[in-house]
Structures are given as C-alpha cells and as structure tokens.
Amino acid sequence: MSAVAVVLGVAFVAGSFIFTDTLGKSFDSIMTNSVGDVVVRYKSAGDMENFGTSTETLPGSLVKQLASIPGAARADGNVTDIGTFVVSKKGKLIGGQGAPGMGVNYTGGPAANGNAGYELGSGEWPKQDNEIVLDERSAKTGGYVIGDPVDVVTAGAQARVEPKPKLVGLLEPGGSLVGASVVVWTTHQAQALYLGGKDVYNDIWVTRADGTSQDELRAEAAKLLPADVEAVAGDTAAEEASSQIQKSLSFITNFLLIFAAVALIVGSFIIVNTFSILVAQRMKELALFRAIGASRKQVGRSVLVEAFVVGLIGSTLGLAVGALLAMAIRALFGMVGLDLSGAGLVFAPRTILASYLVGMVVTLLAAYLPARRAGKVPPIAAMRDDVTLTETSMHRRVIVGAVLAALGAVGLGLGLFADVAKPLWWIGAGILGVLLGVALTSPLVGRPAIRGLGLIYRRLFGTVGTMAEENALRNPRRTAATASALMIGVTLVSMMAVFGASAKASIAGELEETFKADYLVSNAIGQDFSPSVGDQIAKTPGVATVSRVRWGSGSVDGKDAWLAAIDPATYGQVQVTEMTSGSLADLRRDTLFLSTDEASKRGLTVGEKATVTLGGKDRQMTVAGIFKAGAGTPSSTLVSLDTWTAAGMPAKDAQVFVNRADGADATALTAAIEKLTADLPTVSLKDMQSYADEQSASINQLLYMIYALLGLAVVIAILGIINTLALSVIERTREIGLLRAVGLSRPQLRRMLRLESVVIAILGAALGVGLGLVFGVAIQRALVDEGFTTLRIPWLQLVLFVVLAGIVGVLAALWPGRRAAKLQILDAIHSE
C-alpha cells in the first residue's frame, strides 16, 4: 500500500509533465509548419495575443514585389481567420471549445525549410470558389466525404456560407492540430469572406531559392517594407511563437503539479504511518540486531534502505502509470477542446528525473522519523517477551502544530483584512499553515470527536462499539495520521464546493441587479460571431434596442490588457454600470474607462493619459471614467465601438443585447429571433436566467475537473485507511486470537474493524469539511471586490461528504476484516 501511494503520487507528477510536453510538442509542430522561409507581417502580429484579432493587411502588390527580390523562389499571400467552423450533418458544431476554427487560403507555397505544411491526404486542392478542403478529423466527425456540400459558419460578414461549399479534398496534417479545425478556400473566396473582397493578405511567405539562407532573404525583403512591417526568418518566427505558447502552457503544468503535490503530501502520511507500524511490529527483531552488535545508525539505515527500495519500485511503476494518467488527462482536456488524440506521448528526460527524484525524496523523508525511532530500540529489549517502544510525549508535536496553525490564521487574516500585495497568496499560505497545524494537533483535536462517536457506538453496538472506540484511541498518532490524509482531500473538495456555490450565487445575484436587456445573443462556444446576426435582429419588428459588445487583447501603458468595446449610447439601456467617476456619455473615441481595481493597479485616475495599443497601433487616450466591475461587465477596460473600429479591430461581435419595443409581443419576438439564429449553432439566444445558468454550467465544469484531479488524493487516503487497518490486524494477531477464544464471533470482529474504520473516515471528513468551510468563506471574502459578493454554503453537499466518508470507512474495512476473521484461534494466540 505504501508503494501504491508512491506510485500514484509520482504518476501525477509524471503524467503532468508528459501531458504538457506532448501538448507543447504538438504546438511546436504546428508552428514549424505555419511559417515560410521568411514571414512578412505587421510587427503587432508577432504577438500570439493578437493572432487573428487585427484587420491590418498587406497589399497584393507587395506579394509581387517580394517574389522578385534576389534569392526569392516565390512569394505567397496568406489569408487566415480563426472564427470559421464546420457544422456536422446532424447540426452540431465541430470544435470551438478552446481550439480555434481556422479558415485559410490555398497558395501551394511550401513552409519553412521545404516543409510541406498541410499535406493533401486525398482528393484535390480547391481550384474554384465554393470548393473547400477540410482536415480529416473535422470531415470524419461531421460525417462528410469528398463530394458532399459542407455546412460552414464564419464570424465574418457572411454568418453562414451560402451556397454550401463542396468538399473536394482532405488534409493530412503533419501532427496533431490540438483540436483545431481547418477549412481551406481559394484565395479569392477567402478574401471575399474575411477581407471584404480586397486584394490584401494577413501576411506573406517568401520562399528562398537554392543557395540562399533565411537571413539573407530576410535582409533583402526588409528593404521593401515600411516601418511598421517586418520580415522575420521562418525559424525565428517559429521559435518566437513556440516560446510564447510554452509560456502560456506553463500555467497548465503548474495547475496540474499543484494537485500532484497534494497527492504526494497525502501519500507521505501513509508512508509515515506504515513505517511507524512496521517498526513497532519488528521491535524485538530490531532489539536482537542491537544485541548482536548492530549500531543505532545501522538499524536506522536498514529502515531507510527498505524505504529506498519502496521509493525506487514506486517511482518506476509511477512513471509507467503516469503515462496512463497522461492519457486520462488528455481525454479530460479533450472534453474542453484541447484534442491531442492524434499526438504521441512525449517522455522527456526531465520527466524521468523528476519522477525518481520526487518519489525517492518523499519516501525517504517520510521514513526518516520511523527509522530514527528504530535506532533507539535498546538491546536489552530482546530479553523481554512483550517489547514496545515508549511513545514520546505529544507536547512538542502539539506546540509545533499550534504555532503553524496560528501562523496560518495570521496569514489568512492578513490576506482577508490587511492591505497587502497579492492577498490570495497570503490566504493560500495561511490555508497551508492551518492544514499542517491541524494535522499535527489532530491526535489531541480528534480525541473529543472519537469520544463522541464512542457514545453512539456503545449504545448501538455494546461491547463491540466500546472496543472499536478504545482501539481508535489506543494509538492517537496513528489514527490522526490516517485521518489527516483524508482530511486534506476533503478540505480542498469542501473549500471548492463552498467557493463554487458562492460564485454561482454571486453571478446570479449580480445579473439580477445589472441585466436590463430582454435578450442576450452570444456565442455558445465563447468565440466571436458575425455582425450580420445583430444587423438582422435590429431589422426585426418589435426590437427597440440592439447594443453590441466586442472584445480582444491589447495593452495599456505597455502592460497586457483585455479590452471590451461598447456603444455608450445604448449600453446603459441593457446593462447597469455603477460609475464611481464619470458617466457613459464620457466614453468617446479618445477616452477609456477602467474598473476600480484596474485603475488602482495601473495607478491611473480620471483625467490622466494612457497609451492604449489596439490592433498593433498606439494611441493616447484619456481616462474618462472609473466603474465598479461586476459579473456582467465584459472587461475591466472599456473603450467605445468607434475607438475599436478606428483601430482596425475585427468587426466581430462577442455579445448582442436586445430590448423589446413597448407593446411588442414577447412570444412572437422570441420566436422571430430564434428563427434568425436557428441555423447558426455558434449563436444562442438567452434571457437573464438562462444566461446565469450558462455561467453556472461553466463553473460546474471547472469544479468537476478539480474534483476529478483531487479524487486521486482521496483515493490515496482511502488506501491509507485500508493499509492502517491491515497492518493493525497483523500487529494485533495475538490479541484477536484471545478475543476469539473468549467468545468474540467473526461477525463481531468484522464489525469492530468496520467501526474503527468509520471512526477514522468520519474524523478525517469532519475535520476536512470544517476546515474547507472556513477556507471557502475566506476565499469568498477575499474576492468580494472581484464580484463574488454572495456567500452561499452548500450544507447538503457538505453533509453528503461526511456520509460518503462513513460509507468509505465501511468499504475500507472489508478486506482487513475478512483477513482478521480468517485467523485460526490457536495460531493467532501463539503468534509473536
């Protein structure tokens, strides 16, 4: 069981690294095949944050000029869109959750260093408008074969491509597309769909002739370009893009490693418990070693060598199980759009080194204290029949635990009530301190809880219940360590349950106060959609107001920012915005609004100037208003739609709010708008309640993912309960034989062990639910200014956690109980 704890903990570490390395390699492959020998682009396009969000284009005449420079074999203009999706024959959208839907033009130009880029697997490339090529995965998922008309929706001027284009070929991409779908058009049709039919391109690839290097070709291309356009060597462009993506992926790695750390901490409790019990069982054997000349260091070292072997085997198996776990994580992330099913797993040397290092170090550190105790066994103990090692006083342990808990409480207090930088970091450190403190003091803290359960046990189960209570109290350290392992997992699960319930209640309450629109039209997958949808709704009889919201990335004073564009003339009719300074009328082409937190973070006040970068262009804008952000606020930085358009940002809507005209029939208007959006699976119509439900569903999805990742720590804790009971049965073999000899039946023996197991499980769950409740409230209070204003405690869910823990306790005792019941009475009495 100890080895299993190591295996599972190491597996989480290995699986996290394998998954993120696989994801990174897939993106590297995409980037390598997504650049030419030299890429000519606007400088702002080099930032992945701006990918697909700018309308800056290069003229077709530049393509011809670049094709004729010295060292160039050819030049090709590229059109790229990230809001194009395929709809299956069943009317279901393909992709969109996370990974983009790309629309590109066919040029026939090679990628950098002669790479083929997208290869044609079957069929032919589009030769005329209304012919397309799809990636194989999208075609298969959509049920399309070559020759079929394909349903395609875009975020461009044409929401649904009519007539439906004919599928003439299938791509065979060189590596995983990470869930992205690809639609390849003719250049003419791509320009018509995405660039207003103009002879312009998003970027240009220049292919080098034999004997010319990328750097030489880049230098020649740069001579033709204006100041805001750059020529970048293909290898450099690929490296830059990969570096930016890897930086973004580090969040996923850190996210997964947090749960790996939790699993390892829980596993360390099991290892400490196991070796403590083993040392206690082998006391006479260890004393005999001392009696024949073994030193304290040799005895202690023998325990550490055993731990070394356990750690070595556990780490090796953990690495293998990590590959399976990486597949499970891959499937989990595939549910939210990151599809890596076509990518092979990557085993980097770092993964192997980290797996063995973590497994060995955790095991040896956990076994150190039991090994030290083993070395203290006196040689004279070998002469005794009943050898035990006196338990040291718990005073020191309780004092250290109390200090840690107190420091943790201080950290929580500072994060909640003091004006400190990064309050969530203080709260996180405080949570860790309190958790460790309670784990150390749990032998003392848990005693009243065990006594309380003992009262119930004595009334319901009589003598068997009394024995179960006394057995749980016999070794408080062992009971507490086993319960603490479960406590950690339940604490985190309970904390997230409280926070999730509060977040959903806060969003619902905030929307009820601020949502003034009758309808909201938004993209069901979080992507932008065609402005033609809003145009058609505005023309519908019975519609009084249509207010659009658009958003994208940019920067304010050189720092990254997510900006939203609104129409100040209509936005106040559909959303309540609490202004602390200024009014919506102050939002013009040369002004911007900041939330209170954003203004404080950036050190800006009303009237001050800020450099805002949109579409790769800098402009001086004045802060004209400060507002209080809420659940319905699209961003902490707002600009006007006029500013958005003037900056050359895409004319794609993220949200469209709609108000009915006075006297308009609500049922008829709803039916009319639904008819407009019925053929667009990327767009959904909702009222305030359904919008709140949609936001709650997103939170639930995140919570389920976190619960699944925390589930491994809970499984390890359950194995710890089984482990402790099984070792206790071995340790108490003679005692069990005597009890059976004086009349204890096998069912009563199994019941006694079940009750012991339930005590441990409920103790861990009760402590975990209590701490999780406190921590969940702390996090909610810390985020009040971020819009989480409502505290909601899911009492039924928390009680369910305790009940489930009791059931787990019953199940955990099945195998140890069956093993104990099979012991022969005489053999057990004569055992040592």
Side-chain angles (χ1 to χ4, degrees), residues 20 26 59 189 212 530 637 640 676 818:
T20 51
S26 296
Q189 189 166 13
T212 303
S530 172
T637 305
S640 68
L676 289 175
R818 186 179 297 114

Side-chain angles (χ1 to χ4, degrees), residues 84-96:
T84 299
F85 295 95
V86 176
V87 181
S88 73
K89 288 186 175 181
K90 297 180 180 179
K92 301 294 183 181
L93 195 71
I94 297 173

Side-chain angles (χ1 to χ4, degrees), residues 760-772:
I760 295 172
I762 290 183
L763 174 60
L767 290 174
V769 166
L771 290 174

Side-chain angles (χ1 to χ4, degrees), residues 710-769:
L710 285 174
L712 186 59
V714 175
V715 168
I716 293 175
I718 294 170
L719 292 177
I721 297 175
I722 299 172
N723 193 37
T724 299
L725 290 175
L727 288 171
S728 296
V729 167
I730 297 173
E731 186 181 31
R732 289 150 46 186
T733 298
R734 187 176 184 184
E735 176 186 320
I736 289 172
L738 290 171
L739 288 172
R740 294 276 287 111
V742 297
L744 188 71
S745 67
R746 288 179 174 175
Q748 286 177 316
L749 176 60
R750 287 194 293 265
R751 187 179 304 128
M752 181 183 72
L753 290 173
R754 279 199 301 273
L755 294 176
E756 284 183 51
S757 179
V758 170
V759 165
I760 295 172
I762 290 183
L763 174 60
L767 290 174
V769 166

Side-chain angles (χ1 to χ4, degrees), residues 515-532:
F515 194 98
K516 295 173 62 178
D518 293 310
Y519 306 103
L520 170 64
V521 178
S522 64
N523 194 296
I525 55 174
Q527 303 274 355
D528 297 336
F529 55 94
S530 172
S532 64

Side-chain angles (χ1 to χ4, degrees), residues 610-635:
T611 301
V612 178
T613 305
L614 268 178
K617 297 177 181 178
D618 295 340
R619 63 195 69 242
Q620 288 294 311
M621 301 181 70
T622 303
V623 178
I626 306 293
F627 64 93
K628 189 174 181 180
T633 309
S635 172

